Amino acid sequence: GLDRRATGGGTAFGRVYTYGDGNTWGGEPLPGVTVTLTGPVTQVVVTDATGTYLADGLAPGEYRITVHDPGGCRRVSRWS
């Protein structure tokens, strides 16, 4: 799963987690996962021990968020 939010001031953050059991919103956090934000600028960040990523210094615009987990799966989201 992927939880993402955009805030003012050129910052994006979110949490990467396992899918869960279908009865809960999210499962276990996934630390050490590479997250790439591609848009007017590109930034690559890695999730921390809680599965959280933070990218700041982003220019206004639409970004594609690509999450690359160590197992080779990938999920892509877009927001502006």
Side-chain angles (χ1 to χ4, degrees), residues 20-40:
D21 62 10
N23 296 316
T24 59
W25 180 73
E28 297 296 316
L30 292 172
V33 174
T34 301
V35 178
T36 304
L37 294 92
T38 308

Side-chain angles (χ1 to χ4, degrees), residues 42-70:
T42 297
Q43 197 170 131
V44 178
V45 295
V46 176
T47 59
D48 65 15
T50 66
T52 302
Y53 67 88
L54 172 68
D56 52 11
L58 299 174
E62 183 172 308
Y63 286 81
R64 177 178 295 247
I65 302 172
T66 306
V67 177
H68 306 270
D69 91 39

